[in-house]
Structure formats: C-alpha cells, structure tokens
Amino acid sequence: MSSRPLTKLTPMLEQYFDLKRQVPDAILFYRMGDFYEMFFEDAEQAAPILDLVLTSRSKGQENEHPMCGIPHHAADGYIAKLIRHGLRVAICEQVEDPATAKGIVKREIVRIVTPGTATESSILDRDSCYLVALLPSESGVGAAYLDVSTGDFFVTQYESLGDNRLYDDIARFAPREAVVPRDATSDLKSGLHIPTTPVEPSFFEARGAHDYLSKHFGTQSLRGFGLDGDDLRTGAAGGALRYASASHKRTLDHVQALRVDNDADFLQLDAATLGNLEILDSRDAGRPRATLWSVINATRSAMGARTLRRWITRPLKSKEAIFDRHDAVDELTRSRAILEPMTQRLMKIADLERVTSRITLRTATPRECLTLAESLLMIEELAEAMTPLQGPLLKDYRQRLNLGESTDARQTLRDVVDLIARTIDANPSINVREGNVIAGGVDPELDALRTIARDSKSVLMEIETREKERTGITSLKIRYNSVFGYYIEVSKTNLARVPPDYIRKQTLANAERFITPDLKELEEKILGAEEKSIAIEVRLYETLLGDIAKMTAAILAAARTVGEIDAISSLATIAVRNRYVRPTLSDIPELCIEDGRHPVIEQISSERFIPNHTDVERERNGIQIITGPNMGGKSTYLRQVALIVLMSQAGSFVPAAKARLGIVDRIFTRVGASDQLARGESTFMVEMHETANILNNATERSLIILDEVGRGTATFDGLSLAWAIIEYLHDNPARSGITLFATHYHEVTDLAKTKPRVANFNVAVKEWNEQIIFLRKVIEGAADKSYGIQVAKLAGIPRSVIDRAREILDTLERKERDLVEETRRKTPAAATRQLGLFQAREQSIVDSLRDLDLNALTPLEAMNRLYEWKKTLE
C-alpha cells in the first residue's frame, strides 16, 4: 500500500490500515479533527483530480508517506469530483468524543459513496441515477436497475452479456455504475463504458437474495412482484439492493416496490436509434442542445424532467394510452388560463423523491425538511388549480395527488406539513449539530437550556463591560475558541494595566490571552448548556425524520403524480409554443403527414424550414426509395418522419399541419458511419451489424429508416447489398413494416418497376448555370443522377479537380452504357434471370403490363396472362 516500507506503524496508521482493508477499492476519507485526510496511494490518486498539493506525513523520517486533505465542511464538492471520475469514496468519521477518548479516537466507515448509489445533491443532476446489477449465467443474464436517489427499482433479463438489448437499455437508462459477481468480471465486455464494481458472489445468491428482498418488502415471497424460484432477476435484484444498502450502511426504506420491466408495453428504440435520431445526445459537439430532449423539455420540476425523459425513450404502444395523453395535452392547450398557474406551482415544488430518500436515509438537512413542507402545500395549490379540468387523465392525476377523494391520504400529507412546521425553526442552521434547528416550545428542557445559554451570554457582555471599566483597557475583548474556551484578550500595548488576578493562557504576536476563575465557571455553565441542548436537538431531529419516513409511500405517490402532470404540461407548453398539432391515430400501418417539420432543426436553424408531405401506407407504397444529392435534405426528411412518430407515441403533439399515424412497435435506424474501435469493428461492420439487426427483428408494424446503406464498401458491393436489402424487405412482409430508404444508388429505383410496394421519391433540386439549388422538397419520382460533382463544387473543391471529375464521370457512364448494350446483344432472353442490376430480364413483361388495357380484360384472360408471365419467368 505504501511506496516505501514502514518499519513501525503508529497507532493512528494501524487504525488507518484496518479501515482501509475494509474498502481496498475506494478512496478513504479519514477524519482527523476538521479535515478528511488521504494517505499513500489514495492521496496520490486523488490529489491531481482534486487539484490538491500532495504533501507528506513524518517528513524525513523512516515512516514518511504521502498525504493530502480537505476541510470536512467542503467535502461534498470534492466527493462529487471523485465520483465523476468513476471512483468510490469511503467516509470515515470519529465516533467518540476526542475529549473523553482513551488513546486513539475510535473511527468507523459510515458511508461509501459510489457513482451508482449517490443521493447527495452536490453529485446528482435532475436525471435518474441508476445502479445496474448484472448476474450472468449459462441461461442468460439477470439484471436489476435501482435508483437509490428516488427509490425506482425494476428487473429484466437478457440472453447474454453480448445481447444488444443490454446495450440498448444502457443507452436508455444511462446507469452510473454496474455491479457484478467478482467471479464473473472476465465475462464482461468493455462496451458497457460505465464504472464496474465486482462484489462478493454471495450478494447474488438466489436463496439469500429471495429472503433478503422478501424481508425488505415485508412479504412471504416475491410472487406478487412477478418473480419466483431461482429466477436470475431475483439474484440481480438482491445484489443491487444489498450493495446499495451496504454503501449507505442502513436499509433503504424508501425503496418500496419492485417491478418487472415489460418491453412489450413500449415502442422499442435501440441504442443505434437513440443515437441516430439524437433523442438525448447531440452528435455535434458544437451544438449540444440539438436534441429532441432539449426541444420538448419545458418541465418545471426534477420529477417532471425524469418522467418526460422516460416517456420519450420508452414511447407507448397502446392506442388507448396514447389517446389519453393526447387528450390531456389537447385540453391543456385549450385551457391556457389553467396551464399557466399550474406551471407556476410546478416551479415551486422541490425534488420530493430525492428529499424523501434523504429523509429515510437520515441525511436530509433541516432546510430540506422545510422545503418538503412548502412543496406539499404547493401540491395542494396545484390540485386546486386543476379543479376545472375534466379530461379522464387529468382528473385522475388530480385525485392521485392524495388531495381529492382520499381524506386519509390528504390528512397524511397535511400531517407531514404540520409536523415539520411545529418542529423546525423558521430559519434553521444548515446542520443540526450547529444548533438552532428545533423550534421553541417543542421541548421544555431544550427551552430551559437555551435560556441558560442566552442569559449567560448576556452575562459575558456584562463581564466585558465591567473589566473594561476596572482596567481602563477600552480594547479589551472576551472571545471564544474550541481550544481555550472563553478568554480575555488584551493588546500588548495595554499589558501594564492587566490586574494581578488575570491568569495568562497564551501569548500572541500582538496580544496576550488571559482567563479568570469567574470566567471559567461561566464557561462551564454555558458550554454544558449548549452541549446538552445540541444533544436534545439531534434526538428530536432524528425523531422527526423517523416520523416523516413513516409517510414515505404517500409522499412518493404524490411525487410521481407531480412528475406526470409536469410532463403533460411540458408537452402542452411546447405544442403551443412550436405550433404542433394533435395527430389522428390510425388502425392500419400508415403515415400520412401534411407539411411535416423536423422538430429540432426548425428550432436551431437560422433559415426558414421547408416542410414536406409524407404519404405512405404499408400495403400500397410501404417501401419508399428516396434519392437526391448530398445536402438536399434526404437525411433530415427521414429523421423528421421518425421523430414525428416517436413524439406521437410518447403522447406529444407533432410538428405538422395535419397527421394521421398508425401505431408502430419499433423504430429502426441505420444512419451515418461510425467505428466501434473498442469492439474491433470497422465502419462497414457496424453498418452491417445494425442492418442485420433490422432485417432479423423488424415486424410488419415497424418503422425502418435506412440512410445510405452500403456506402461503407466498394460501389458495386454496396449497390448489390442495397438492391438485395430492398428486395428482401419487399418479399418478406413479416419482416417489413414501413420503410424509408435514402440512397445515392439511383439505379435501385428500377425496383419500383417490378416490386409493387416500392415507390420512388426524390429531393428536388434545380440546375442553373452549372449550379444546383436545393429546394428541400420531397417529390414523387426518382432522381436521374446524384449531383455529387456539383455539391463538391459548392464545397470549394478546386476547379481543375471538378473538371477532371466530370471527364472521368463521362467516361465511366459511356462505358456502362456500352457494357449494358453489349450484354443485351449477347445474352439470350431466357439464359439468365436478369442482366445485372441495371437491365432486368423482366422488362419485357413490365412493358406488356404497361400496354395492357385492364378495362377490356376478362377475368379468364387475366389469369391466362399471369400464367404465361409466370411460365416465362420460370
């Protein structure tokens, strides 16, 4: 542990090493007086992160060792820095009075702060703070997600540690820390990209986990939570709760429920889609707010922010549930006189979930208790403001605030308010150990002791005045410090006037300090009263926290409802602000959008956004090939459609003039190019993995967004893949929902001639004086070329390069035409299925079909024609 051997340990270092052995993987904050000290490797690791000067203890001696320290009152900020670096911090406190200790002061580790179990406000932001516990086995991976700061707790299961769903959930829930059995760490893939803590396998043992969870929730079994037997999820849940409880050194009473996460209830968004659509994070470091989250987040409370984030990363699939949210947003947009006062009240409601968690963990400050009371009163006002609202969901929200129909619940929350108001002083100290936290009239003994202390201090003032008069020293002061207690300070220029009954205590550069027997007697009286009063205040405050903790369930239920009200209010606010409309929900797979807009680009762009129509029905034109030049707007259009669908199913209105949308079960995207170097995957391999995921998992109700598939390899390879992928999607209806396929391979537009569900669209441009003008409009039909050279010219490529590129392009196109013509002459009509990708053999059948007069055709003639064409193809 030390960079140099220590031949002899002091008692303090012996104690330090005993404590450090309990937390070998954490930075140990060792309390010494008013400081937390760090030693040896802990000091060397922490000093550069915390910007501390690394010093040494016992300098020049045989047992010299590195150290650094921080003031105990400023610890939260330093701990937050270490946590943000993925480290764990063990806090060691003095647990006995140094004045009465025999030998070295007894110390214990009272808390282990980790990235995934933090509840401190200095560490947390408004987002959730999940810990994920993973239990791998041959039959799969049990997983449990626990947010200690709010009490949210749920389980799920994955096929393996390589299961894409695991990485999708990591992207969606953004856990701050993973815990795994120590013997399973070698199985973990580096792709988790979150701090991972190995723990004893016994934390995850199935029987023990089952008993631990049952005891925690006060149940005989876990069947009521949907878990039974040796379920891997039970082991993971036990591991998560045990680890979190161990870090806090107490039971987590605010964790009051465990649920089984059911993906089937939600529209599925994988990690690639979350990233490609920039739902939470922008891909442009220069524009971090260029995200859907930034646009639609007008929430006023932390609970609302977490709820809305959950809604947009897990949109609904139930038409009825989506309709209810739309209905609530609709009512609020038409009731702005109600929405505004609701918003004002939501702004004044604190983060009740996190305040409640700190109360149950006994770490809440007195001021947080007052904030809780004020917030509960504001909830009452919020409910009153919502009284005129009549929609089913909003009416249900109001009743769930525990203020409507439930008299008992109403009384419970008002009891909390009254209890806090009676117990806590209106202007309390930050820390209960500083005193002046408990209000007067709560405890007669406390009031009596305060009177003694207060009166004694007035006596001190009288003594000071008397001594000034007796000695003639007008600058004489009576002061106090923790070392000497109360003393009289006299400047050196006045030492000749000091009476003989003054007892010298300390000499300073410019003054002398003295005590008298009367002053010492008064000091004992004052300090005794203060110590006793603080002890009483601590006891009364602990009792208060315990009483509030008994009402945790009611407070948390109200907090969750406030979050949902805030999320709905946010959606209504941005609907009004951004001119969004209520979509109509369709029963068939279709997306009919009139003047649709990209919700993010229209907000951040300095140019006027050009809206576009979308008309796609799965059975009619469900696969749309969109061609056009770079920068023309293909990618924007694709993302726009996907985001409109996502917003609708999250419960939001959408950026359009009108919209009729079918319910989708998944949104798949394959957009852009990126390496996954950590996994050893090239850009093209990433592209193919994501495409394979789509082709293997899409359903007839999925929305598939494919942008430039095949561009990561050679031209003919990429073109062949693009062609084959479109054919596969068309010919496998069970794997093909609505598909928007943007491509520069305009040759694939020929598929629309032979595949009835394939339709061509292009992003319109206008050519003028060898320039192209982007019209940003998506129109029916295929683009005749890619305009790549024109775009290169706009980018400033030297003229000589542009001219040479045009020459090469003319040569290649001429050779291609010659090759096609030669192939047509040499290849018999029945010798092959098609003439490459560019000239299908079926063209003759297509031509016959085009010339056919359907009105003059009898059913028998139609059947005969179909028979002839099929025979020709075979």
Side-chain angles (χ1 to χ4, degrees), residues 659-830:
R660 186 175 71 253
L661 308 172
I663 308 296
V664 306
D665 61 0
R666 291 196 65 160
I667 298 177
F668 289 98
T669 61
R670 161 81 288 273
V671 174
S674 62
D675 290 324
Q676 292 284 356
L677 299 180
R679 298 190 195 180
E681 296 176 357
S682 66
T683 297
F684 185 62
M685 180 59 78
V686 172
E687 180 180 338
M688 289 299 100
H689 271 157
E690 292 181 4
T691 305
N693 179 46
I694 295 170
L695 299 181
N696 290 323
N697 295 298
T699 73
E700 60 183 10
R701 278 287 186 173
S702 299
L703 172 59
I704 302 170
I705 302 296
L706 295 169
D707 191 2
E708 303 297 351
V709 171
R711 294 298 297 275
T713 186
T715 300
F716 287 105
D717 281 354
L719 175 55
S720 303
L721 282 166
W723 188 292
I725 288 167
I726 296 172
E727 281 188 340
Y728 178 89
L729 289 170
H730 183 278
D731 297 342
N732 291 272
R735 290 276 183 253
S736 172
I738 290 174
T739 302
L740 302 181
F741 193 114
T743 183
H744 278 86
Y745 298 132
H746 51 266
E747 295 87 351
V748 299
T749 58
D750 284 350
L751 282 165
K753 299 173 182 177
T754 58
K755 303 293 182 182
R757 289 200 303 121
V758 175
N760 287 322
F761 288 81
N762 74 94
V763 181
V765 297
K766 185 173 183 178
E767 292 188 79
W768 182 74
N769 283 349
E770 297 187 350
Q771 302 287 334
I772 58 171
I773 301 171
F774 300 114
L775 301 181
R776 313 291 188 194
K777 294 297 288 186
V778 177
I779 59 176
E780 196 163 1
D784 56 352
K785 56 184 177 180
S786 297
Y787 297 97
I789 294 176
Q790 289 90 333
V791 172
K793 183 179 179 183
L794 287 176
I797 296 295
R799 182 60 184 254
S800 60
V801 176
I802 297 296
D803 292 342
R804 177 57 179 152
R806 284 193 173 122
E807 291 176 7
I808 295 170
L809 178 63
D810 289 342
T811 301
L812 292 174
E813 287 179 341
R814 187 166 54 252
K815 286 183 176 180
E816 182 182 311
R817 288 193 297 270
D818 292 345
L819 177 62
V820 170
E821 183 59 34
E822 181 181 354
T823 306
R824 181 183 291 112
R825 289 196 311 269
K826 291 183 177 179
T827 307

Side-chain angles (χ1 to χ4, degrees), residues 281-569:
D281 300 304
S282 172
R283 290 189 163 187
D284 183 350
R287 296 193 299 184
R289 294 183 58 81
T291 65
L292 178 65
W293 169 240
S294 295
V295 169
I296 71 166
N297 179 24
T299 57
R300 304 295 182 169
S301 71
M303 292 91 70
R306 289 193 292 271
T307 300
L308 185 59
R309 180 187 172 106
R310 188 163 59 246
W311 284 4
I312 67 168
T313 56
R314 307 203 83 185
L316 299 168
K317 272 174 39 179
S318 163
K319 183 179 178 181
E320 293 73 20
I322 297 168
F323 182 89
D324 285 345
R325 283 188 191 169
H326 287 170
D327 219 35
V329 173
D330 194 14
E331 184 174 7
L332 288 175
T333 59
R334 290 184 286 103
S335 308
R336 298 186 202 176
I338 299 174
L339 178 60
E340 181 58 30
M342 284 175 58
T343 304
Q344 291 174 355
R345 285 156 177 78
L346 286 164
M347 290 175 63
K348 298 176 182 178
I349 299 175
D351 193 341
L352 298 182
E353 290 177 316
R354 286 181 170 163
V355 171
T356 303
S357 74
R358 287 195 281 273
I359 285 172
T360 60
L361 293 169
R362 307 300 192 268
T363 58
T365 67
R367 294 181 185 179
E368 284 180 320
C369 289
L370 289 181
T371 299
L372 171 62
E374 292 164 0
S375 297
L376 293 177
L377 287 175
M378 197 54 58
I379 287 178
E380 194 166 322
E381 292 189 24
L382 174 64
E384 290 172 0
M386 295 175 65
T387 301
L389 299 173
Q390 295 301 313
L393 187 56
L394 292 172
K395 201 170 180 180
D396 178 59
Y397 284 157
R398 183 180 179 278
Q399 292 171 348
R400 282 164 46 193
L401 285 178
N402 293 332
L403 297 166
E405 305 299 326
S406 175
T407 303
D408 291 341
R410 180 176 70 241
Q411 193 61 43
T412 298
L413 290 183
R414 286 180 181 167
D415 282 346
V416 174
V417 174
D418 294 342
L419 179 61
I420 293 172
R422 288 196 312 268
T423 308
I424 302 293
D425 187 84
N427 186 28
S429 301
I430 295 176
N431 190 312
V432 68
R433 296 189 179 276
E434 295 175 5
N436 298 317
V437 166
I438 303 299
V442 173
D443 185 275
E445 184 182 359
L446 176 61
D447 292 342
L449 290 167
R450 282 175 170 170
T451 300
I452 293 172
R454 182 176 62 250
D455 292 347
S456 299
K457 288 179 181 178
S458 66
V459 172
L460 280 171
M461 297 301 296
E462 292 174 4
I463 293 174
E464 183 178 293
T465 303
R466 186 189 69 204
E467 292 301 312
K468 284 180 179 179
E469 293 173 354
R470 180 163 79 98
T471 63
I473 304 172
T474 57
S475 62
L476 179 149
K477 298 289 185 185
I478 294 181
R479 301 183 185 277
Y480 172 83
N481 70 29
S482 59
V483 177
F484 298 115
Y486 288 98
Y487 56 86
I488 299 171
E489 186 168 289
V490 178
S491 62
K492 288 201 170 180
T493 57
N494 292 298
L495 288 179
R497 300 181 182 182
V498 171
D501 59 330
Y502 277 26
I503 302 169
R504 180 178 277 103
K505 195 68 178 175
Q506 187 181 24
T507 300
L508 303 178
N510 299 312
E512 294 276 352
R513 291 174 176 175
F514 301 88
I515 60 171
T516 66
D518 289 345
L519 188 60
K520 201 64 183 173
E521 181 181 344
L522 185 62
E523 174 192 307
E524 291 174 359
K525 184 177 180 181
I526 294 172
L527 295 182
E530 288 181 345
E531 288 175 5
K532 289 178 182 177
S533 65
I534 288 176
I536 292 172
E537 289 203 57
V538 169
R539 173 174 56 78
L540 293 173
Y541 187 66
E542 287 288 326
T543 301
L544 172 68
L545 294 182
D547 289 340
I548 299 173
K550 294 174 185 175
M551 305 174 189
T552 294
I555 299 172
L556 289 178
R560 285 189 288 271
T561 303
V562 168
E564 294 186 35
I565 293 170
D566 195 8
I568 283 289
S569 299

Side-chain angles (χ1 to χ4, degrees), residues 16-46:
Y16 172 83
F17 283 128
D18 286 341
L19 293 165
K20 180 61 182 174
R21 275 189 283 271
Q22 298 175 30
V23 285
D25 300 326
I27 303 293
L28 179 61
F29 276 23
Y30 183 85
R31 182 71 176 268
M32 296 183 68
D34 291 336
F35 285 81
Y36 286 118
E37 302 289 359
M38 289 158 276
F39 301 109
F40 303 101
E41 282 82 357
D42 283 0
E44 293 170 338
Q45 186 176 12

